[in-house]
Amino acid sequence: MKYKFEIIETLSRIVEIDAPTYDDAYHKMREMYRNEDIVLDANDYRDTEFRDLEE
């Protein structure tokens, strides 16, 4: 018999963005992430979750 499991790893980092408005900061942060100026790695590890997938 075969069983399926889902493994979920959570990475998290707090970044500060200097901008005139919240919207500007949000868009700047998203662009930085998309351009890989912000890259989460093993140092940002927070949690691992295991879920069984019943069929």
Side-chain angles (χ1 to χ4, degrees), residues 30-42:
R30 295 276 309 233
E31 185 176 327
M32 290 173 68
Y33 183 78
R34 243 190 322 266
N35 291 335
E36 298 181 0
D37 296 323
I38 301 171
V39 178
L40 304 183
D41 59 28

Side-chain angles (χ1 to χ4, degrees), residues 9-42:
E9 289 188 342
T10 303
L11 304 177
S12 175
R13 181 186 302 172
I14 295 172
V15 296
E16 286 188 52
I17 305 294
D18 187 23
T21 68
Y22 172 86
D23 286 340
D24 290 339
Y26 180 81
H27 291 296
K28 182 176 181 179
M29 179 270 307
R30 295 276 309 233
E31 185 176 327
M32 290 173 68
Y33 183 78
R34 243 190 322 266
N35 291 335
E36 298 181 0
D37 296 323
I38 301 171
V39 178
L40 304 183
D41 59 28

Side-chain angles (χ1 to χ4, degrees), residues 7-13 40-49 51:
I7 302 169
I8 303 164
E9 289 188 342
T10 303
L11 304 177
S12 175
R13 181 186 302 172
L40 304 183
D41 59 28
N43 294 320
D44 301 303
Y45 171 81
R46 294 296 174 257
D47 188 39
T48 301
E49 184 180 339
R51 294 184 188 168

